[in-house]
Amino acid sequence: MSDDYPSKQGKGGELHQQAETDANTMTTQQGAPIADDQSSLSAGQRGPTLLEDQILREKLFHFDHERIPERVVHARGFGAHGYFETYDSLADLTCADLFQRKGEKTPAFVRFSTVAGNKGSGDLARDVRGFAVKLYTQEGNWDIVGNNIPVFFIQDAIKFPDLVHAAKQEPDRGFPQAQTAHDNFWDFVTLTPESVHMLMWTMSDRAIPRSFRFMEGFGVHTFRMVDAKGKSTFVKFHWKPKGGLQSVVWDEAVKLNGADPDFHRRDLWDAICNGHYPEWELGLQVFDEAFAEKFEFDVLDPTKIIPEEQVPVRPVGRLVLDRVVDNFFAETEQVAFCTQNIVPGIDFTDDPLLQGRNFSYLDTQLKRLGGPNFTHIPINAPKCPMHHFQQDGHMAMKNPTGRANYEPNSWGKETGGPRENPEKGFTSYPANVSGDKQRIRSETFADHYSQARQFYISQTEEEQTHIADAFVFELSKVEKVAIRERMVAHLLNVDTALARAVAKGLGIDPLPNAAEPAVPPRDDLPASDALSILKNGPKRFQGRKLGILLSDGADGELLSTIERALKKEGAVGETVAPHSGEIRDDRGRAVAVTHKVDGGPSVLFDAVVVVPGKEGAKVLGALPPAQNFVRDAFHHKKFIGFNAQGQTLLDSVGIAYAKDQGCLSLKDEASVQAFLRQCAELRHWARG
Ligand code: HDE
């Protein structure tokens, strides 16, 4: 297709006098103005509707076809626009156009998602999160279709349909929705030991992020970068959030799904609309064949990481999301990511999962978007010139306009259309490939436990407890005891204390024998701090949200101090009160109420302050949602700020704040600032 063929046709629109169009007049799809959109055309006042009613028929016809198939996986997602900015030229590594010039800005669209749940499921499911980035480079669209976890459940694409069938609703009953806490999932994964490393990640708090803004992204597979001379280097892609890592605790996740099932979408939407643009650094782990040869595991095995201590992550640019979508369906729903979308300078490796994905994504778009022309949809269209001879098909928006639609052709430059470009064009890296055709898993993929253990020992004690609790929770929903035991048998190859804790929670006694490993698990891999969320948290409270529980008569001066401090910190405050509308503080100033207390539980916030008026403290103390507000904040180990009136409320609910370093008394500017500094730690883990 060419945008710049000379056209022989007259422009239809120019034939008309510019019509006086009223932008507000409702029309049919054909552009005919509509006089009455309230009643269908009928024979008589109470008579039958007439088939002749073209306006009714067009409206219903279109409505009846509004839905497209939701994604088989990653159905629930949320996207935003932004840009990628290159820090420095990477010409020494790759000829990819977007990496050639320091400061180059490349438009980007990112879609985050959960995997297992349907389109309408809750945001806080325990699940992997998709982290798919489309970079509209000047030499084509490059899609990095990654996850927030750097490894995957399976090593070979042929197992993907089984994994997904097992994870989604059970086929006979159609539930459970958006969760892996059921027999089929655990049956499959316990019979598939290569899943064990990934299970450690999905049972960790990585699978319940606080926000898309505070999670990492990973390309997962090893890719290649190829320079202008054809030299190839292996790379792994990392997205590191500038705001630090943060997750919720499980009890919060459960409650958030009820309080605000759109918690993650709303968070991203609000952050961008408030000008708190989320930002990630793109980091590369770069290594050569020699490293790949000597590394303990196979770099083509997507169930393995390369620890950052062994190959440091080199920051090469930043991704900033600064624009919400105009329309969810047109952009977020219709965006079509394909792992096969790479650009000159980037290439695949033989990772068998990646190879299978390269077939699957293009194929799925055909089903989902209904034809081969989905690249004509603006969100999918490259922002660089396109010239090719592909034509026709459903919904073709732009066909080639010249005489030639084939090549080679002998039509001249004017009408002969595009030509191949051996200098600039994509050239596959000429990797040497040979071998017998066979269905076999490489023996270099056989170690399924050593990195699972490495992940576990890299966690803080608190994080380790969460992992054990998550295994217990999920497996406690599994009916078949043999499946539970099989998981404990695998965990015995990971860490005995973990296996014991899980067995205890499940009432399994005695312990089963350890699963038979294909190769002996190693216990000499050192801990890696990069794998822990808590060791990579934020440095500031910036971008986080404070819940302010108040009532009429609240201390106005203190409220203003809190407001100022939040603004300075770049954090957001939302007020929670016994009633909606506004409250009057003790100076008579009206303060807008964001949430009536029933609709504003403390799980919505990263920290809370309890600063009601004198009478209000009594009213709140008698309200169960207000009691739950403070009890949950305390139980979820959040920082709690309070003044004298707040103290009465905490007393009435029985919160033991006196010796708790995470409960801070707020009096003046200095104490409020000290409180917000503390809040950067996000939780007071020392609270029992
Ligand atoms: Fe996907 N995956 N996947 N996947 N995946 C899809 O494509 C598939 C895998 C990932 O926001 C589908 O457009 C196969 C790994 C993301 O639109 C489908 C295999 C990773 C998204 C598909 C995998 C991912 C998808 C469903 C095993 C992390 C959402 C709808 C070989 C590196 C993209 C669609 C978005 C979506 C197939 C494994 C990430 C069916 C066959 C590993 C983030 O094509």
Side-chain angles (χ1 to χ4, degrees):
M1 180 189 336
S2 173
D3 282 344
D4 53 13
Y5 286 162
S7 167
K8 285 192 288 189
Q9 332 295 325
K11 296 229 163 46
E14 287 164 10
L15 299 177
H16 295 286
Q17 290 287 330
Q18 192 68 37
E20 273 290 308
T21 47
D22 172 356
N24 282 330
T25 297
M26 181 182 277
T27 69
T28 63
Q29 287 230 30
Q30 306 294 341
I34 294 177
D36 182 348
D37 183 49
Q38 306 302 318
S39 314
S40 12
L41 189 68
S42 58
Q45 268 197 26
R46 300 174 58 243
T49 304
L50 296 177
L51 198 57
E52 176 192 318
D53 187 348
Q54 84 282 12
I55 294 177
L56 168 74
R57 276 187 294 118
E58 184 199 78
K59 190 172 176 182
L60 291 187
F61 147 80
H62 200 273
F63 171 76
D64 291 344
H65 298 277
E66 273 180 9
R67 293 288 167 272
I68 61 173
E70 67 172 35
R71 289 165 172 81
V72 190
V73 278
H74 298 266
R76 182 168 178 82
F78 201 64
H81 297 269
Y83 61 88
F84 174 75
E85 186 177 358
T86 303
Y87 286 160
D88 272 309
S89 167
L90 287 183
D92 57 326
L93 278 179
T94 173
C95 58
D97 183 74
L98 79 163
F99 290 125
Q100 299 311 296
R101 295 161 295 275
K102 180 186 168 113
E104 168 102 5
K105 282 191 178 170
T106 303
F109 186 77
V110 180
R111 183 175 179 274
F112 302 105
S113 48
T114 51
V115 179
N118 294 344
K119 232 185 115 186
S121 53
D123 275 352
L124 266 290
R126 174 177 292 284
D127 201 353
V128 188
R129 297 299 183 287
F131 194 125
V133 182
K134 191 179 281 293
L135 297 164
Y136 304 88
T137 88
Q138 290 183 41
E139 287 195 346
N141 287 354
W142 176 27
D143 294 353
I144 310 179
V145 197
N147 279 343
N148 75 330
I149 288 178
V151 289
F152 202 62
F153 291 105
I154 47 168
Q155 295 171 323
D156 188 318
I158 201 166
K159 296 314 296 167
F160 192 64
D162 299 295
L163 166 72
V164 174
H165 288 176
K168 293 193 79 135
Q169 301 102 304
E170 299 196 358
D172 53 355
R173 60 211 66 189
F175 63 85
Q177 160 78 285
Q179 54 176 310
T180 50
H182 60 107
D183 285 63
N184 282 6
F185 176 74
W186 288 96
D187 191 26
F188 174 81
V189 290
T190 52
L191 294 171
T192 311
E194 70 209 55
S195 298
V196 171
H197 185 195
M198 177 76 166
L199 288 173
M200 299 300 295
W201 286 80
T202 55
M203 292 304 109
S204 81
D205 297 341
R206 296 265 177 174
I208 40 173
R210 148 72 172 85
S211 157
F212 297 135
R213 297 181 290 142
F214 308 137
M215 60 185 205
E216 285 178 299
F218 302 92
V220 176
H221 316 280
T222 297
F223 289 86
R224 288 178 188 278
M225 280 189 158
V226 184
D227 74 6
K229 294 199 183 100
K231 182 174 74 77
S232 144
T233 316
F234 289 129
V235 280
K236 280 195 175 263
F237 299 113
H238 296 245
W239 296 106
K240 300 249 180 209
K242 283 268 186 78
L245 301 187
Q246 184 183 353
S247 282
V248 300
V249 296
W250 178 239
D251 187 59
E252 273 179 296
V254 171
K255 289 174 174 161
L256 273 167
N257 266 338
D260 185 2
D262 304 305
F263 187 67
H264 283 155
R265 323 185 137 188
R266 195 185 307 280
D267 173 87
L268 189 65
W269 179 272
D270 286 352
I272 295 175
C273 293
N274 290 334
H276 295 151
Y277 301 141
E279 206 173 311
W280 289 260
E281 270 192 323
L282 175 65
L284 305 183
Q285 278 184 303
V286 178
F287 54 97
D288 57 13
E289 298 269 358
F291 173 86
E293 284 299 314
K294 73 168 198 277
F295 181 56
E296 289 94 333
F297 304 99
D298 196 326
V299 300
L300 300 183
D301 174 356
T303 67
K304 304 296 185 296
I305 58 158
I306 301 177
E308 293 186 23
E309 288 74 9
Q310 262 167 290
V311 179
V313 175
R314 169 176 164 193
V316 298
R318 66 186 189 124
L319 171 71
V320 180
L321 297 183
D322 61 357
R323 185 159 60 89
V324 295
V325 293
D326 287 331
N327 181 271
F328 178 86
F329 183 87
E331 294 152 75
T332 306
E333 196 57 14
Q334 293 199 118
V335 66
F337 292 94
C338 295
T339 53
Q340 60 159 37
N341 289 354
I342 53 171
V343 292
I346 308 291
D347 210 340
F348 310 119
T349 60
D350 296 337
D351 174 338
L353 203 63
L354 176 59
Q355 298 272 319
R357 293 179 74 199
N358 287 344
F359 162 75
S360 183
Y361 287 69
L362 186 61
D363 188 42
T364 210
Q365 308 311 349
L366 192 65
K367 174 82 181 171
R368 226 166 53 75
L369 298 166
N373 288 320
F374 61 85
T375 48
H376 297 201
I377 302 173
I379 192 70
N380 295 321
K383 297 189 194 299
C384 61
M386 278 184 288
H387 307 282
H388 54 74
F389 290 123
Q390 294 168 29
Q391 65 171 32
D392 301 355
H394 282 290
M395 311 290 169
M397 298 287 169
K398 243 181 177 187
N399 265 359
T401 48
R403 175 88 185 255
N405 57 356
Y406 60 92
E407 62 100 30
N409 69 57
S410 57
W411 295 100
K413 218 173 169 201
E414 287 294 295
T415 50
R419 296 285 186 256
E420 297 156 19
N421 184 337
E423 267 141 54
K424 274 184 81 181
F426 182 87
T427 317
S428 290
Y429 176 71
N432 185 0
V433 183
S434 69
D436 299 337
K437 262 195 231 173
Q438 53 195 327
R439 292 186 187 275
I440 196 166
R441 195 73 59 87
S442 168
E443 279 177 21
T444 53
F445 283 30
D447 181 339
H448 303 317
Y449 299 108
S450 306
Q451 283 205 344
R453 174 185 173 77
Q454 182 175 38
F455 176 78
Y456 184 68
I457 62 166
S458 304
Q459 309 300 312
T460 63
E461 209 175 298
E462 193 73 42
E463 289 172 312
Q464 290 185 337
T465 309
H466 291 180
I467 292 172
D469 290 349
F471 272 112
V472 172
F473 174 85
E474 295 256 323
L475 290 163
S476 73
K477 304 286 176 186
V478 169
E479 291 164 19
K480 229 173 149 186
V481 174
I483 298 176
R484 298 179 179 181
E485 287 175 348
R486 228 157 44 209
M487 191 62 230
V488 175
H490 285 299
L491 292 178
L492 281 164
N493 288 332
V494 177
D495 184 272
T496 318
L498 171 64
R500 281 186 193 288
V502 174
K504 190 168 171 219
L506 294 170
I508 294 176
D509 185 23
L511 283 177
N513 292 329
E516 193 63 51
V519 295
R522 298 173 55 159
D523 60 5
D524 59 337
L525 300 180
S528 162
D529 281 351
L531 303 181
S532 153
I533 296 172
L534 295 185
K535 292 176 194 165
N536 295 282
K539 297 195 172 47
R540 297 176 54 187
F541 195 60
Q542 193 183 31
R544 268 68 184 181
K545 202 179 262 185
L546 182 73
I548 306 169
L549 185 61
L550 42 56
S551 68
D552 289 315
D555 180 343
E557 203 177 319
L558 185 59
L559 287 179
S560 306
T561 310
I562 294 172
E563 252 170 56
R564 275 198 309 277
L566 282 171
K567 198 161 177 209
K568 199 166 150 218
E569 180 59 28
V572 174
E574 286 184 357
T575 51
V576 182
H579 56 78
S580 284
E582 49 191 37
I583 59 109
R584 299 253 156 210
D585 68 19
D586 60 358
R587 299 181 299 187
R589 185 179 68 129
V591 179
V593 173
T594 327
H595 307 274
K596 180 172 182 311
V597 64
D598 327 42
S602 59
V603 289
L604 299 179
F605 311 110
D606 298 295
V608 300
V609 294
V610 186
V611 289
K614 205 165 173 197
E615 289 307 308
K618 287 186 206 143
V619 175
L620 285 168
L623 286 178
Q627 296 166 357
N628 290 339
F629 183 100
V630 282
R631 274 202 201 108
D632 271 354
F634 191 78
H635 173 60
H636 297 145
K637 306 189 179 180
K638 288 182 179 157
F639 287 95
I640 303 177
F642 60 95
N643 63 358
Q645 288 72 31
Q647 192 170 320
T648 336
L649 177 57
L650 297 182
D651 278 333
S652 69
V653 181
I655 301 289
Y657 55 85
K659 288 191 185 138
D660 188 297
Q661 310 273 313
C663 293
L664 287 94
S665 151
L666 306 177
K667 291 187 251 359
D668 49 18
E669 188 125 12
S671 58
V672 169
Q673 278 172 8
F675 173 73
L676 283 188
R677 268 198 304 278
Q678 274 275 301
C679 287
E681 286 174 29
L682 299 175
R683 288 179 210 263
H684 182 54
W685 292 113
R687 191 178 292 151

